[in-house]
Every structure is written in C-alpha cells, then in structure tokens.
Amino acid sequence: MEPLSRRGWAVDVAVAGLVAAVGLLEVWVPFESLSGDGSPFVSTVGVVWFAAHLAVRRARPWVALAGLLVWPLLGVFEGGQGLHLLFFGQLVPVLVLVFTIARHGTGTYRRVGTGAAIAFIALADLFVPLLQSPNELLFHWGVLTLVWLVGHGLRVSADRAAAEAVRAHVAETTARERELAAISDERARIARELHDIVAHSVGVIVVQAGAAEQVVEDDPEFARRALATIRTTGSGALAEMRRLVGMLRDPDPGLGHDLAPQPGIAALPDLVEAARGVGLSVDLDVSGVPPTLPAGLDLTAYRVVQEALTNVRRHSRATSARVAMQFAPESLEIRVTDAGPARQPGAEPGHGLVGMRERVALFGGRVEADAGEHGFTVRAVLPLERV
C-alpha cells in the first residue's frame, strides 16, 4: 500500500472509532444481534481490540490483519468461551478489513489477506455452532463475497481512470512537444531567411558605397543617389537584424545560404501558376495600391499565401481556391479560401498554421483560421511598414 496521508489517517481512525462505539453499544445495550453466553467485559476488550487494529489497517496492514483475524481465532478454538458473537463488533470489522484488502491491497498482502479472511470465516463456521445454520452461512459468505467484489471493482475503476489520465497526459505532452518542435523549426527557418535578407542588403550597401566612392568627384548626383540607396537599404537591414536578434534562434550549422533576394508579393503570380500546374485552380485578387514593403514583411506575405495553398493541397479535397490581398493605408489583409471538404474529417491538423502565426507575429500581425460549412479560410492581417 502507498504511504498514508494525514487525511487517510483521520478517516481510518474515525471509522475505527465509529465501529468501536456501535460495537460497545451492541454489547451493553444489548442489541438483538448479540448472541452467545460470553462475558460483556471480555467482549468489550475484543471490540476495543478490533477497533484499535482497524485504525491501522492501511498504515500497518500486516499488523491489522494479524490483530483482527488471529486473536479471535483463539476464542474460536476455545469454543467461544468469554466472547459473544457480535455483528457490529466482530463481523463488521472483518468486512471493513476485507474491503480494504480488495480496494487497497497489493502483491503478497492482497493474496494472503484475502486467503486469511476466507480461512477465518471457514474456521468460525466449523467451530461455532451458532454460525452453522443455512441462513447464517448464506448471509456471512454472501456479504463477505459482495464486500470483496465491491472493493475490487472500485480498485479496477480507479486503476483504469489513472491509466486513462496517464494516457491523456502523455498524448497532451507529445502533442505539445510536436508543436514546440514545429515552432522551433519554423523560427530557425525564419531566422535563416532574415539572415539572407540582411546579407543581401549589406552586399547592396557595399556595392553602392564602392560605386559612389569611384564617382563622388566626377558625378556628385550619382553619388547622392547611391548614398540614398545605402541609407534606405541600411535602415531596412537594421530592422530585419533587430527581428533576427529577437528570434533568439541561431541558424542550424552546416546549412548553405543562397544570398539572393527572397521571394515576395511580386512572385505570387508564379506561385499561383505553380499551384495550377498541380491541378489546383487558384484565383488571385489584389486590391489597393501595393506599397514598397520591407524585404522581411514582403517575404512573410508570400510565405503565408504559399503555406495556405500548400495546406489546401494536403488537407482538402477542393479543386479551387481564392487568394485575396487587400492593401489598406495601415495594413495588409490576406485571405485564402478553399471550397473543401477536408480529406480526412476530424484529422489532427498539421503545423502549417503554427508557422504562419510565428511569421506574422514577428511583425505584430495575427492569423485566424475558420473551418466553415463551405470550406476552410485562412486570414492574416499584417501591419504595413513602409520603406
């Protein structure tokens, strides 16, 4: 048995006290359940003895088993001299012990305790004439069996509930670990892409600075334009660098980087054509005037559309989708909608939405997903940062 808490101690002592009180009343009132010609004083000692061992039935199980079953057997072998036959003072403590064995007992104690209780009742039936009538045999064996089955049933239910709780916790932990791994992978990917953007910007700055240095005296106007480009490019690079540092993720070592510019909104028509090439009819609708966006924000808008269309191909049976981009003065809203239905209704979602949320959150935006009656919709809102 497991170590007993203070509350468990209090419950066991309270039960023992209640059994002792009722047992003493049974002896001294007396109740109709009192049988035999024993001594009230000896029976009183027996009731107190039973209650004392009943109080430690979970804290000291072997002591309780020996005290409740061995000592009364001495009276049985002596023909019951000095002891009354008591229902509340003797049989009830034995039933409480049997319930405890079935409900809380484990290993050797459970087997030995159950066998000892059966042997105790059997010996009492053999040596005590008052217990040998058919009614008595049917009653105490029936009650004994019922109490053991109730305790065993509660134990099985508790074990099953504990196992289900463990399985649920493991499943929740596993799902959380997968989500965290997906977030970590996506952040590493974002960090690499931002690194490439910054590296490209620095390369542009170096080229423009070199060109301006060569012609600063011969063509001051060209030099001013080069310096303006350097200023704009440098400001964007600094903004992307701040985001890169904020990611707190180093790119995986050993991965090569293409320092060419990453795709942006301008590459969406090519993305749409690629989707059409694999059998997905995509309509692209752009409203508003697209401003010049920082490279990181431009890339994020592209990745949101790319990931949303990828999810349509992977998780939906839809043959068509619509991409709507609306440029407002302060924000960009992206909405990707398909007609559904899902390939596997109720299937566990992938990590595409996790990646979108990570990217959009980096720029202070938000992503919403809605599985409606007529398909799946992904909506992303990005605050605009002009360069």
Side-chain angles (χ1 to χ4, degrees):
M1 293 186 184
E2 297 180 356
L4 198 60
S5 63
R6 290 184 178 180
R7 181 181 179 183
W9 265 107
V11 170
D12 288 357
V13 171
V15 170
L18 179 61
V19 170
V22 177
L24 292 175
L25 290 174
E26 184 180 24
V27 172
W28 292 100
V29 169
F31 293 169
E32 292 183 0
S33 57
L34 180 72
S35 302
D37 299 325
S39 166
F41 294 100
V42 176
S43 296
T44 297
V45 173
V47 168
V48 174
W49 175 273
F50 286 153
H53 287 81
L54 201 62
V56 296
R57 69 186 187 279
R58 286 191 291 173
R60 302 289 185 270
W62 290 103
V63 173
L65 180 65
L68 283 171
L69 300 183
V70 174
W71 184 77
L73 287 177
L74 298 178
V76 169
F77 288 124
E78 292 175 0
Q81 297 297 324
L83 285 174
H84 288 102
L85 287 179
L86 305 174
F87 174 78
F88 294 102
Q90 294 172 352
L91 181 60
V92 169
V94 172
L95 294 178
V96 172
L97 177 64
V98 169
F99 174 83
T100 304
I101 291 171
R103 174 66 179 85
H104 301 288
T106 58
T108 303
Y109 175 75
R110 181 181 174 86
R111 295 189 295 271
V112 173
T114 301
I118 294 174
F120 174 80
I121 299 297
L123 289 173
D125 290 342
L126 289 174
F127 289 94
V128 180
L130 291 175
L131 298 178
Q132 295 172 356
S133 67
N135 290 338
E136 284 290 338
L137 291 173
L138 181 62
F139 174 74
H140 59 245
W141 280 107
V143 172
L144 180 73
T145 303
L146 179 62
V147 168
W148 192 93
L149 289 176
V150 169
H152 177 71
L154 291 176
R155 178 186 181 87
V156 170
S157 297
D159 290 346
R160 185 179 294 118
E164 290 294 334
V166 170
R167 279 195 290 270
H169 177 71
V170 170
E172 181 181 356
T173 302
T174 302
R176 181 58 179 164
E177 288 176 350
R178 287 200 298 266
E179 181 179 357
L180 291 175
I183 292 174
S184 178
D185 292 342
E186 189 63 26
R187 287 185 175 181
R189 181 185 176 190
I190 296 170
R192 290 194 296 270
E193 291 177 348
L194 292 180
H195 168 271
D196 294 345
I197 291 172
V198 172
H200 175 73
S201 298
V202 172
V204 171
I205 291 173
V206 171
V207 171
Q208 292 291 332
E213 182 183 16
Q214 296 294 326
V215 300
V216 65
E217 295 180 356
D218 299 333
D219 192 351
E221 183 62 26
F222 178 84
R224 279 194 295 271
R225 290 197 301 270
L227 291 174
T229 301
I230 291 172
R231 177 182 60 79
T232 303
T233 305
S235 298
L238 286 175
E240 302 301 343
M241 182 62 73
R242 283 193 293 268
R243 292 191 181 95
L244 179 61
V245 173
M247 290 293 294
L248 296 178
R249 293 290 189 273
D250 293 328
D252 293 336
L255 296 177
H257 299 288
D258 180 9
L259 300 185
Q262 296 288 345
I265 293 175
L268 286 181
D270 295 334
L271 179 64
V272 169
E273 287 300 323
R276 291 170 180 167
V278 295
L280 181 65
S281 177
V282 181
D283 293 330
L284 177 62
D285 181 18
V286 180
S287 59
V289 179
T292 302
L293 300 178
L297 186 61
D298 199 23
L299 172 63
T300 295
Y302 177 88
R303 294 299 188 203
V304 168
V305 177
Q306 182 185 44
E307 188 61 47
L309 291 178
T310 300
N311 284 345
V312 173
R313 294 196 299 271
R314 288 179 179 175
H315 305 299
S316 174
R317 297 181 184 274
T319 58
S320 63
R322 182 173 182 270
V323 178
M325 303 190 70
Q326 182 178 0
F327 289 92
E330 301 296 334
S331 64
L332 165 62
E333 179 179 341
I334 303 171
R335 188 184 297 268
V336 181
T337 307
D338 67 76
R343 290 186 182 276
Q344 298 179 352
E348 182 178 355
H351 298 295
L353 288 174
V354 175
M356 289 187 223
R357 290 192 175 101
E358 286 295 314
R359 288 180 176 276
V360 172
L362 189 61
F363 292 88
R366 67 184 187 277
V367 173
E368 300 170 354
D370 179 28
E373 296 181 359
H374 304 291
F376 195 82
T377 300
V378 174
R379 177 175 177 268
V381 178
L382 285 161
L384 289 183
E385 298 178 7
R386 301 176 186 271
V387 296

